[in-house]
Amino acid sequence: MPDTARLPNNLVDAIRHFSDPDVATGFVAALRWPDGPVCPRCEGTDHSYLTTRRVWKCKACKKQFSVKVGTIFEDSPLGLDKWLPAVWLIANSKNGISSHELGRALGVTQKSAWFMLHRIRLAMQTRTFEQLGGEVEVDETFIGGKARNMSARARRRKISGTGAKDKSAVLGMIERGGEVRAEVVPNVRRGTLQSRVRESVEPGSAVYTDALRSYSGLDTDYAHKVVDHAERYVDGRVHTNYMENFWAQLKRGLNGTYISVQPFHLFRYLDERVFTFNLRERDDYGRFTAVLGAVAGRRLTHPQLTGRA
Ligand SMILES: [Zn+2]
């Protein structure tokens, strides 16, 4: 296990701490394999460690494996001395960090930084299927289509028809005092929204939405109340303010940090904001280890990322 006496608690510490490749490898290995390294190929636990190359040699299948195999770090030419500070930065940035900023901070190209960001976001993806309950606010929003941030060519291409087609619909749900979920949805029609709500929210919960007609009918499974702005004073609990705060934070990040987000990648930015929001009570080290604990079993190749897979 990592030596708890000298764990980093800020970015500068983390950079210094993980600049030692043995420390970095040991740290990731301890998080990934709390009971000792396991061969990713045959799950063998009997192995020898090749100190100079920082790889394990499995005694069962005779293959060698590094701590990066089978994780978001696999096949990356960048060392953990770059990856771990990158994870630290992204896990602890409320509004996100651009690939330009990250590239400069780490001394890697913007292109490499962009790829790193997306791989780290993959680790940040919510993996729980636990339903929300109690009082749940449900709200939809539209994201994208910021013409002022586009090149002239992109602007001509996108702002041709209705203008709405380059906007993405996003559905969000938040349990008061609990977690938020947010996902890109193909539209905001009744069938689309209600099936997502029924999957994500325990029957019998109180559900608060705006007056969008797509939500009508939720009262068969929920104590559904509609926010009526004219009659807000009637019941102070019926509002979607927490969800609106989340949207504001999301949009602040998208507009301020990221010059333009293609709709294709929007869900990854959502994953990042949902992650930092849901772990808002933890400290920086806690968020950092939460991401690192989720790097295994996930891979994102360049063709997958660019949609050519
Ligand atoms: Zn093996």
Side-chain angles (χ1 to χ4, degrees):
M1 286 305 288
D3 176 5
T4 47
R6 45 185 297 267
L7 292 176
N9 55 37
N10 60 49
L11 176 64
V12 175
D13 264 6
I15 292 171
R16 201 169 25 222
H17 192 70
F18 298 121
S19 64
D20 180 337
D22 289 318
V23 171
T25 303
F27 190 87
V28 177
L31 266 179
R32 185 176 177 187
W33 301 302
D35 302 317
V38 179
C39 171
R41 248 176 230 93
C42 73
E43 298 187 350
T45 52
D46 208 5
H47 43 68
S48 54
Y49 186 62
L50 311 179
T51 329
T52 47
R53 300 182 44 229
R54 294 180 201 91
V55 296
W56 289 265
K57 185 175 181 190
C58 175
K59 289 195 174 154
C61 72
K62 313 281 182 221
K63 302 277 191 212
Q64 296 180 0
F65 59 94
S66 76
V67 77
K68 287 161 98 181
V69 171
T71 73
I72 60 163
F73 309 134
E74 186 169 347
D75 296 337
S76 166
L78 298 171
L80 293 174
D81 61 322
K82 300 284 187 201
W83 275 106
L84 298 190
V87 169
W88 188 285
L89 268 166
I90 296 159
N92 294 309
S93 161
K94 271 207 185 86
N95 292 324
I97 177 167
S98 74
S99 53
H100 294 277
E101 241 179 308
L102 183 67
R104 276 198 306 274
L106 298 177
V108 303
T109 64
Q110 180 266 334
K111 218 175 148 183
S112 296
W114 183 83
F115 197 20
M116 293 174 93
L117 267 164
H118 276 315
R119 286 194 185 193
I120 294 167
R121 289 188 184 112
L122 182 67
M124 296 168 100
Q125 221 168 63
T126 305
R127 273 190 273 199
T128 172
F129 294 98
E130 220 169 285
Q131 287 186 309
L132 306 176
E135 288 182 295
V136 181
E137 298 177 14
V138 177
D139 196 24
E140 75 293 338
T141 193
F142 291 88
I143 288 172
K146 280 189 74 77
R148 69 182 173 85
N149 287 334
M150 289 180 201
S151 70
R153 213 171 113 242
R155 201 177 297 141
R156 272 198 303 278
R157 195 181 54 214
K158 291 200 168 172
I159 307 177
S160 41
T162 58
K165 68 177 183 226
D166 60 322
K167 292 224 178 222
S168 303
V170 177
L171 179 66
M173 300 173 227
I174 188 168
E175 176 180 314
R176 289 198 187 150
E179 296 201 337
V180 72
R181 308 261 190 270
E183 62 172 316
V184 177
V185 286
N187 55 62
V188 294
R189 287 200 280 270
R190 180 174 307 192
T192 308
L193 298 193
Q194 295 205 7
S195 66
R196 300 301 198 289
V197 173
R198 285 172 216 276
E199 269 166 33
S200 310
V201 184
E202 272 168 21
S205 307
V207 168
Y208 306 136
T209 69
D210 60 25
L212 187 75
R213 270 187 299 181
S214 297
Y215 297 120
S216 77
L218 281 174
D219 56 358
T220 56
D221 291 310
Y222 303 102
H224 178 212
K225 294 218 171 103
V226 173
V227 179
D228 182 341
H229 289 287
E231 290 178 49
R232 193 160 31 188
Y233 57 89
V234 173
D235 186 346
R237 301 201 71 81
V238 182
H239 61 76
T240 54
N241 296 351
Y242 291 102
M243 208 50 241
E244 277 156 32
N245 286 344
F246 178 79
W247 295 142
Q249 194 183 317
L250 172 72
K251 289 175 184 181
R252 208 158 41 234
L254 286 172
N255 297 341
T257 311
Y258 305 112
I259 304 304
S260 69
V261 173
Q262 295 164 280
F264 176 68
H265 293 298
L266 179 59
F267 73 96
R268 300 192 191 283
Y269 295 85
L270 281 176
D271 291 339
E272 184 187 340
R273 287 286 65 78
V274 166
F275 175 93
T276 50
F277 185 90
N278 287 343
L279 293 179
R280 63 196 178 280
E281 305 290 333
R282 296 209 198 168
D283 62 8
D284 288 5
Y285 179 78
R287 274 183 294 271
F288 168 70
T289 50
V291 179
L292 271 189
V295 297
R298 298 185 167 197
R299 288 198 60 202
L300 187 63
T301 63
H302 205 269
Q304 284 169 332
L305 189 52
T306 50
R308 286 197 292 266

